[in-house]
Amino acid sequence: MGYRKKEKEYFFIGIKSGLDPFFEHHMMGMIEQQKNKAPVIRDLLQSLGKAGTDINPNTCTAKITFAAHPVMRKSPYAGMYFNGQGRPINVDGYSNTLPASMGGNKTPFVDEEYLYGNAECDWVVDYHQGLIDGRIVPEFKDAPSRLRRITIKEAAKIQTFPDNYIFCGNKRQGLHTNRKCRTM
């Protein structure tokens, strides 16, 4: 499997010639005023509380199992160390794009103990390092329970939906929206 090169995004803004000689200066000032630092995943998810509560129902029951033949990458979050297409999320960083086909074993997951400060390090990072240095021999089995799939509420939060956004449909349809079902 090869890496896909990231495409660059460009925005073009134009004005009629001679209308504002300081256009570029004013535009840069407006852009700087609007910049906000994006929150890391930990900050987003902690505000919802642990999965399995009324506020953050645990919606995905797909097991997380180790791959017997993992595909290694430099980053613990980029390889294929687990079965299925759901990958671990680095709670101290920013999320990759969440796929529209997410659900079941395609749902990304987090180390809940690390997310809420009950562990000093992310279990996935230690597992990755153990595979690299040969301390761990890969085998097909269930991953530790501290690794869990993200919930629909967490996926919505990562995608910047407002907290009061109402989703329609059953669990399988989870993040599908309907014009009649917007915010409260």
Side-chain angles (χ1 to χ4, degrees):
M1 269 190 186
Y3 283 101
R4 219 173 150 180
K5 192 174 183 180
K6 282 190 174 182
E7 299 295 325
K8 291 184 179 182
E9 293 181 3
Y10 297 95
F11 295 91
F12 294 93
I13 301 171
I15 61 166
K16 269 189 168 179
S17 179
L19 289 180
D20 184 355
F22 299 105
F23 173 76
E24 188 174 344
H25 173 74
H26 292 297
M27 184 58 65
M28 292 305 291
M30 287 190 298
I31 290 171
E32 285 301 316
Q33 287 176 350
Q34 296 299 315
K35 280 186 180 178
N36 293 322
K37 184 172 167 110
V40 296
I41 297 300
R42 180 186 303 274
D43 295 337
L44 291 171
L45 301 189
Q46 279 185 336
S47 66
L48 290 171
K50 291 189 176 191
T53 64
D54 289 341
I55 296 170
N56 189 16
N58 202 357
T59 50
C60 185
T61 57
K63 284 185 176 182
I64 301 169
T65 57
F66 296 113
H69 304 287
V71 176
M72 302 298 291
R73 299 281 189 264
K74 288 181 183 179
S75 167
Y77 305 103
M80 293 188 280
Y81 318 114
F82 303 91
N83 290 319
Q85 295 173 355
R87 300 285 163 250
I89 295 176
N90 178 1
V91 299
D92 293 320
Y94 306 105
S95 176
N96 291 327
T97 303
L98 298 179
S101 62
M102 192 173 83
N105 72 0
K106 294 180 182 179
T107 305
F109 56 92
V110 294
D111 178 345
E112 187 160 44
E113 288 183 20
Y114 182 60
L115 171 63
Y116 289 102
N118 299 325
E120 289 184 24
C121 57
D122 191 333
W123 193 93
V124 172
V125 173
D126 288 344
Y127 181 69
H128 175 258
Q129 188 57 50
L131 289 172
I132 288 174
D133 63 25
R135 287 181 292 118
I136 296 173
V137 176
E139 62 179 304
F140 175 79
K141 64 180 182 178
D142 288 349
S145 60
R146 68 190 267 181
L147 301 181
R148 63 141 178 98
R149 306 279 179 182
I150 63 172
T151 68
I152 289 174
K153 289 278 193 179
E154 290 168 336
K157 192 82 166 174
I158 290 169
Q159 296 175 83
T160 70
F161 280 91
D163 289 338
N164 61 350
Y165 197 92
I166 299 171
F167 295 96
C168 296
N170 60 31
K171 182 170 121 176
R172 184 172 171 82
Q173 297 168 325
L175 288 180
H176 293 269
T177 59
N178 181 322
R179 289 183 186 263
K180 294 178 186 173
C181 300
R182 293 291 176 183
T183 57
M184 291 186 210

